[in-house]
């Protein structure tokens, strides 16, 4: 397999070298694009974005139940064993609520802020893929236009001794840059759309968990307010 890849590389490089500096730029952009795609896939798997919601529910439900019963320590222990942005979001919400003097609106604002920061990290490098997906075809088209200009100049210089191979050879070399540009752009745009689609689903799940977390924290506070007067009356 490795020998086949080496042979394919050796056969491809002489062809690509005819495309000039624009093909070199496109190859460089392709390396960046595939590196970003690999990094994002690894990040999404590590963060649990590609994981099933049922697996995350295995720690979300016990943590919320512990919060509703007023046991924030137990909830934090459950979340500390879990990985991913949702667990970190819930931990942050519990940390804010630890101060009983904090207002409910402040808790909601802090959870929203932390959730936004976590999503921003997951969206990192998306703009790079978008730029590469937009610029690569344009660079390919630019290379084609430049190549066509060169081909017609060579045809003009040939004068009456026109050789069809001069024009055809110049045209295929010119079209090479367009092909390379599309080859770079298609994977970048496809990966970007797949990442954004999966992140939209994950964003909605984070909103749902945030709402459940806020409701659980409010339930805990309401129970505490009811319990304190009852305790004073008993004394």
């Amino acid at each position: 397999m490795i020998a086949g890849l080496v042979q394919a590389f050796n056969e491809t490089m002489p062809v690509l070298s005819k495309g000039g500096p624009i093909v070199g730029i496109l190859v460089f952009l392709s390396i960046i694009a595939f590196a970003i795609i690999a990094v994002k896939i690894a990040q999404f798997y590590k963060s649990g974005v590609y994981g099933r919601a049922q697996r995350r529910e295995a720690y979300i439900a016990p943590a919320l139940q512990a919060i509703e019963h007023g046991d924030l320590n137990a909830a934090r222990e459950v979340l500390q064993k879990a990985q991913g942005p949702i667990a970190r979001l819930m931990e942050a919400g519990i940390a804010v609520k630890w101060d009983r003097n904090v207002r409910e609106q402040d808790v909601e604002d802090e959870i929203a802020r932390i959730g936004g920061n976590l999503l921003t990290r997951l969206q990192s490098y998306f703009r790079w893929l978008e730029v590469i997906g937009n610029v690569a075809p344009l660079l390919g088209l630019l290379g084609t236009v430049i190549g066509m200009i060169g081909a017609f100049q060579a045809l003009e210089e040939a004068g009456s001794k026109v050789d069809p191979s001069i024009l055809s050879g110049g045209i295929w070399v010119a079209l090479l840059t367009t092909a390379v540009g599309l080859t770079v752009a298609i994977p970048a745009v496809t990966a970007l759309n797949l990442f954004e689609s999966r992140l939209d689903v994950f964003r909605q799940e984070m909103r749902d968990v945030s709402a459940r977390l806020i409701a659980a924290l409010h339930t805990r506070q309401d129970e505490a307010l009811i319990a304190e007067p009852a305790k004073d009356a008993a004394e």
Side-chain angles (χ1 to χ4, degrees):
M1 180 178 178
I2 297 177
L5 292 175
V6 172
Q7 182 179 358
F9 178 80
N10 292 333
E11 293 176 354
T12 303
M13 287 308 297
V15 177
L16 293 179
S17 63
K18 294 183 179 181
I22 290 182
V23 169
I25 295 173
L26 289 171
V27 171
F28 177 70
L29 291 178
S30 71
I31 294 173
I32 295 176
F34 282 106
I36 292 174
I37 291 171
V39 168
K40 296 308 296 183
I41 290 175
Q43 182 190 29
F44 276 25
Y45 270 110
K46 184 177 180 180
S47 301
V49 176
Y50 282 138
R52 294 183 178 180
Q54 291 84 350
R55 293 182 180 179
R56 289 187 285 273
E57 192 65 26
Y59 64 81
I60 293 173
L64 292 176
Q65 187 176 9
I67 293 171
E68 291 174 353
H69 286 83
D71 194 350
L72 297 184
N73 284 320
R76 292 185 69 177
E77 290 177 1
V78 172
L79 295 172
Q80 286 172 354
K81 297 177 182 178
Q83 294 182 349
I86 290 181
R88 304 292 78 79
L89 174 67
M90 296 181 69
E91 272 191 286
I94 293 173
V96 175
K97 193 61 178 179
W98 208 274
D99 183 2
R100 295 185 60 183
N101 296 322
V102 71
R103 297 182 306 169
E104 293 182 2
Q105 186 60 45
D106 293 336
V107 175
E108 296 179 10
D109 292 343
E110 184 65 11
I111 290 175
R113 184 188 68 82
I114 295 171
N117 291 339
L118 292 172
L119 287 173
T120 299
R121 293 177 188 174
L122 292 174
Q123 290 176 317
S124 61
Y125 299 113
F126 277 13
R127 184 58 60 87
W128 278 91
L129 288 177
E130 182 180 356
V131 169
I132 292 173
N134 291 330
V135 170
L138 296 178
L139 283 174
L141 181 60
L142 175 62
T144 297
V145 172
I146 294 174
M148 293 294 291
I149 292 173
F152 282 111
Q153 283 180 338
L155 190 63
E156 180 184 12
E157 292 174 357
S160 59
K161 300 179 181 179
V162 177
D163 186 356
S165 63
I166 297 176
L167 183 60
S168 60
I171 290 175
W172 83 260
V173 171
L175 292 175
L176 176 65
T177 58
T178 298
V180 175
L182 292 174
T183 302
V184 174
I186 290 173
V189 173
T190 301
L192 176 61
N193 281 277
L194 291 175
F195 289 150
E196 289 181 337
S197 176
R198 188 66 191 90
L199 197 57
D200 286 341
V201 175
F202 192 73
R203 181 184 292 107
Q204 184 59 41
E205 185 179 350
M206 286 189 69
R207 289 175 180 171
D208 178 69
V209 172
S210 297
R212 293 167 63 189
L213 174 61
I214 292 171
L217 291 172
H218 289 176
T219 300
R220 171 183 175 272
Q221 184 180 36
D222 294 341
E223 290 179 352
L225 292 174
I226 294 173
E228 286 182 1
K231 182 179 179 181
D232 294 339
E235 292 177 354

